[in-house]
Amino acid sequence: MAYQALYRVWRSQRFDDLVGQEAITKTLKNAIQQQKTSHAYLFTGPRGTGKTSAAKIFAKAINCPNSVDGEPCNECEMCRSITEGRQEDVIEIDAASNNGVEEIRFIRDRANYAPTTAEYKVYIIDEVHMLSTGAFNALLKTLEEPKEHVIFVLATTEPHKIPATIISRTQRFDFKRIDVQAIIGRMAYILEQSNQPYEEQALSVIARAAEGGMRDALSILDQAISFSNEKITLEDALAVTGSLTTEMMDNFIGACLQQNVSGALEVLENILAEGKEARRLTEDLLLYCRDLLIYQQAPKLLENRAAYLTENFKQLAETTASERLYSMIKILSETQNEIRFTNHANIYLEVATVKLATPQTTTESSTVVQSSNMETPAAIQPAEQSELLALKTQLQQLQNEMQQIKNNPTSEKEERKVAPKKTASSYRVPTERVYQVLSEATKDHLLNVKNVWEDLLMALSVTQRAMLKASEPMAAGPGLLLIAFDYEIVCQRADSSDELRLNMQNSLSMMIKDYSPDFVFITRESWPRLRQAFVSQHQDRPVAVETNDTEDEISLLPPEETNEVVEQAKSLFGDLVTIKED
Ligand SMILES: [Zn+2]
């Protein structure tokens, strides 16, 4: 007989076999028993936590003529046909490969007919977040007109990508990561049933590596079995789990060190898609960078971790400057703090990836002088000389600022903020387009965009999301949306990406009815200047504009009576506008 993967052979066939989701299975069993099932369910949760298994058990239990306590019998023809996937009234669809509108229309048409052999027609749509906008709309129509004997079970690892209109029409169940003890228990049971000897510690290593996914645990267990001689030992488990992790780390850190931003983001996306948890990954990356440092200084200390020391690892250790590793460790430990309490850990990790893989130009060149001094006191640059250099730079900065103030006394604060950062800029701010946005902008449009901003980010690809994470919508009108970026290089990249524009437009039009604006990208640095220029261009008499420390606030002086500018500013910035009456 051909070898079958453990997770297939041991797939749960009853709610009571479904490990670690007791609250959910109990609720579903009760609903079936009391015949109070819903027309649509949404099963969300990390991969391998039992969503599709639960969906199939549900389809069986609700159709099984011998169902007891909400459980299927698994022996009748109905149960067997569903288990084997040949029951025509239980339709499984993988949205990852069928994301078209046509498929969903087809479902919709078919859903109009009563089930042929089963009592209930059950549609199980896996990875439902992959459906296209059009397909979601078609699905929504179907859910809006529920049919007596049709039930939809939607499963997804990414519920934030599903339109709220769909979610609100479903009964939602959040599947949790399965705890380590429950995974160990299930593996022990399976191994005992298969007469496969094992060491207890091996199971605990595998369960931890699986990070809450039963399917992953069983896949790793499969590998450990084929790796071992008869008995699964702790070493076998370490070898199998360690090599998986090490290879991912090698690739990720390697791409960062080569300053390959898109490559690094791609590796990250793969790692996260594998079900790796962001916090755990950040910690592993930190340890990896620390070990690179240790290996540089004292390779012997790492001798007992031979599996870890791949050729790639050694090469990275030999070719990377320790300063670079220190700065990576700094970025990673900052990220570790940031993601402690957030629901969007992946986003922070993506931003960290961009930072890790982006060469630090201005800031690093100034710290290089300092650090080379700290570490090698007798180096080329004597302390006095660098001090002199620093003083000269400071003096130059002060002189520049003085000059700015003299030239333009009214906007002193603002210029001071902008002047020191003014470097040779390669991104040309589209001033006319900015004015165009500002002339049509309204507060309502901006608020609408801000309301869906997080959702918009989540709807984009990992690379695009990372680009937009360090940006903010600044003004919006019916046809245009102005977005400011923290970094010029990102602004430039965003501006040249047609794909990004298209995806943003598609997602926005899905989130805000009939809204698909064109985009104007600027650097955050240029915003106060542009805003001020626009306001002073559109007024009848000179008005001083002052920018407060919180950059979003604007106050206009000295408008005794309400004038057009104030009205316009109000509609742009809403309540943030304060009119000083002194
Ligand atoms: Zn049955």
Side-chain angles (χ1 to χ4, degrees):
M1 197 182 88
Y3 182 75
Q4 266 203 304
L6 282 178
Y7 79 85
R8 283 189 195 285
V9 180
W10 293 93
R11 182 167 212 163
S12 312
Q13 303 297 348
R14 293 161 48 83
F15 284 123
D16 286 350
D17 291 346
L18 210 60
V19 176
Q21 313 293 357
E22 284 73 17
I24 293 174
T25 52
K26 195 172 168 206
T27 313
L28 287 174
K29 279 198 296 185
N30 283 341
I32 293 168
Q33 260 178 299
Q34 298 165 14
Q35 300 188 309
K36 284 181 180 160
T37 51
S38 157
H39 286 288
Y41 291 92
L42 177 62
F43 291 176
T44 73
R47 56 183 233 134
T49 50
K51 300 184 296 297
T52 43
S53 295
K56 283 191 84 166
I57 298 170
F58 177 84
K60 281 191 278 188
I62 203 168
N63 281 314
C64 172
N66 316 320
S67 166
V68 178
D69 296 337
E71 290 276 18
C73 77
N74 280 313
E75 276 162 17
C76 68
E77 170 57 18
M78 179 55 65
C79 283
R80 290 213 314 271
S81 67
I82 296 174
T83 304
E84 289 160 21
R86 56 183 169 79
Q87 172 50 250
E88 57 181 331
D89 287 325
V90 175
I91 302 107
E92 284 184 84
I93 297 153
D94 179 11
S97 45
N98 294 291
N99 57 1
V101 189
E102 286 310 313
E103 277 82 0
I104 300 293
R105 290 226 176 97
F106 181 63
I107 293 173
R108 204 182 146 197
D109 295 342
R110 275 184 38 182
N112 284 326
Y113 299 103
T116 45
T117 48
E119 194 177 344
Y120 289 93
K121 224 178 221 186
V122 182
Y123 289 95
I124 301 170
I125 308 183
D126 200 10
E127 301 295 348
V128 67
H129 63 273
M130 303 283 281
L131 290 180
S132 66
T133 309
F136 268 130
N137 288 336
L139 178 61
L140 181 60
K141 288 224 168 64
T142 315
L143 296 180
E144 277 169 344
E145 311 153 0
K147 297 280 180 303
E148 186 86 12
H149 289 276
V150 176
I151 297 176
F152 281 86
V153 182
L154 316 176
T156 181
T157 47
E158 307 190 44
H160 49 265
K161 289 187 180 165
I162 296 174
T165 44
I166 300 262
I167 293 181
S168 68
R169 284 184 170 74
T170 63
Q171 193 176 337
R172 176 170 169 171
F173 290 100
D174 293 330
F175 286 63
K176 304 271 176 296
R177 284 179 195 285
I178 304 165
D179 79 44
V180 171
Q181 283 312 317
I183 294 181
I184 293 176
R186 179 75 177 162
M187 286 194 294
Y189 172 80
I190 291 173
L191 292 175
E192 273 147 28
Q193 295 292 308
S194 339
N195 293 319
Q196 164 72 55
Y198 63 90
E199 287 180 10
E200 297 260 340
Q201 284 173 301
L203 298 195
S204 124
V205 166
I206 294 170
R208 268 170 233 287
E211 294 173 358
M214 185 63 80
R215 193 169 57 211
D216 284 358
L218 297 186
S219 300
I220 301 172
L221 187 60
D222 254 334
Q223 293 180 42
I225 290 173
S226 53
F227 195 83
S228 65
N229 307 312
E230 287 181 40
K231 190 176 195 179
I232 305 171
T233 62
L234 173 62
E235 279 84 60
D236 297 333
L238 283 173
V240 171
T241 55
S243 62
L244 294 177
T245 321
T246 310
E247 196 187 322
M248 294 193 295
M249 299 287 144
D250 285 349
N251 291 342
F252 181 80
I253 298 289
C256 289
L257 288 172
Q258 283 162 18
Q259 300 176 2
N260 176 357
V261 180
S262 58
L265 285 169
E266 218 169 278
V267 179
L268 176 71
E269 193 172 14
N270 289 337
I271 298 178
L272 294 174
E274 286 285 316
K276 185 94 182 169
E277 207 257 331
R279 288 171 189 83
R280 183 77 182 269
L281 176 61
T282 312
E283 195 183 321
D284 287 351
L285 289 170
L286 259 173
L287 295 177
Y288 187 98
C289 289
R290 186 205 61 186
D291 286 347
L292 283 174
L293 270 176
I294 293 178
Y295 188 79
Q296 287 181 338
Q297 307 300 327
K300 286 210 166 129
L301 286 178
L302 296 182
E303 248 170 14
N304 59 347
R305 307 179 61 182
Y308 198 79
L309 303 180
T310 61
E311 280 311 307
N312 280 331
F313 177 91
K314 290 178 188 167
Q315 206 191 339
L316 289 177
E318 278 154 19
T319 53
T320 309
S322 50
E323 278 108 26
R324 183 79 207 271
L325 291 175
Y326 283 122
S327 89
M328 289 176 89
I329 289 173
K330 185 162 172 265
I331 293 168
L332 285 166
S333 52
E334 281 166 5
T335 309
Q336 202 173 33
N337 282 329
E338 285 167 344
I339 64 180
R340 202 150 284 164
F341 302 109
T342 173
N343 290 326
H344 299 291
N346 289 7
I347 299 188
Y348 283 95
L349 203 50
E350 286 153 14
V351 175
T353 303
V354 175
K355 285 188 197 162
L356 290 171
T358 309
Q360 250 96 77
T361 46
T362 48
T363 45
E364 212 163 59
S365 63
S366 64
T367 49
V368 162
V369 178
Q370 287 177 0
S371 60
S372 68
N373 259 323
M374 283 194 302
E375 275 167 45
T376 51
I380 323 130
Q381 215 155 27
E384 293 96 319
Q385 203 172 330
S386 73
E387 210 172 327
L388 190 65
L389 199 71
L391 280 171
K392 268 187 180 170
T393 317
Q394 247 178 6
L395 185 67
Q396 188 62 45
Q397 251 174 28
L398 282 170
Q399 277 174 337
N400 286 349
E401 279 178 43
M402 293 263 289
Q403 199 57 43
Q404 299 278 357
I405 295 167
K406 269 188 204 158
N407 292 349
N408 198 351
T410 51
S411 59
E412 134 193 9
K413 266 191 183 171
E414 198 149 290
E415 287 300 328
R416 194 187 290 166
K417 219 181 269 172
V418 176
K421 286 197 231 154
K422 235 181 223 163
T423 44
S425 141
S426 44
Y427 180 71
R428 226 187 112 257
V429 173
T431 314
E432 284 308 314
R433 298 268 288 159
V434 174
Y435 291 169
Q436 207 182 327
V437 189
L438 293 181
S439 63
E440 66 170 45
T442 73
K443 187 186 155 200
D444 280 351
H445 279 100
L446 184 60
L447 275 181
N448 285 342
V449 171
K450 288 198 167 191
N451 280 338
V452 300
W453 192 246
E454 281 288 312
D455 292 338
L456 174 69
L457 293 190
M458 297 314 291
L460 298 173
S461 78
V462 64
T463 322
Q464 294 172 340
R465 196 185 311 153
M467 275 198 268
L468 278 191
K469 186 57 193 170
S471 78
E472 192 188 340
M474 287 306 195
L480 289 168
L481 172 57
L482 180 72
I483 296 169
F485 288 83
D486 290 350
Y487 307 101
E488 187 184 329
I489 181 163
V490 184
C491 180
Q492 202 160 17
R493 208 174 288 164
D495 192 57
S496 60
S497 170
D498 291 337
E499 205 190 336
L500 175 70
R501 284 169 190 271
L502 194 67
N503 288 352
M504 287 174 71
Q505 247 167 12
N506 283 342
S507 303
L508 271 178
S509 67
M510 193 169 92
M511 294 164 182
I512 305 171
K513 198 174 180 301
D514 296 329
Y515 190 56
S516 62
D518 199 1
F519 304 96
V520 181
F521 297 138
I522 60 167
T523 56
R524 195 183 287 278
E525 190 187 31
S526 64
W527 170 237
R529 187 163 36 86
L530 289 162
R531 183 177 54 185
Q532 185 200 346
F534 175 79
V535 173
S536 36
Q537 244 185 40
H538 292 74
Q539 65 194 9
D540 307 312
R541 56 207 164 88
V543 172
V545 175
E546 198 178 77
T547 309
N548 294 351
D549 285 341
T550 53
E551 292 214 329
D552 276 331
E553 289 190 25
I554 177 173
S555 56
L556 302 161
L557 300 171
E560 277 115 23
E561 72 258 42
T562 321
N563 65 22
E564 211 189 323
V565 183
V566 177
E567 279 308 303
Q568 194 155 24
K570 263 190 176 170
S571 72
L572 276 182
F573 311 115
D575 303 333
L576 300 175
V577 179
T578 50
I579 302 159
K580 285 194 181 167
E581 307 251 10
D582 52 357

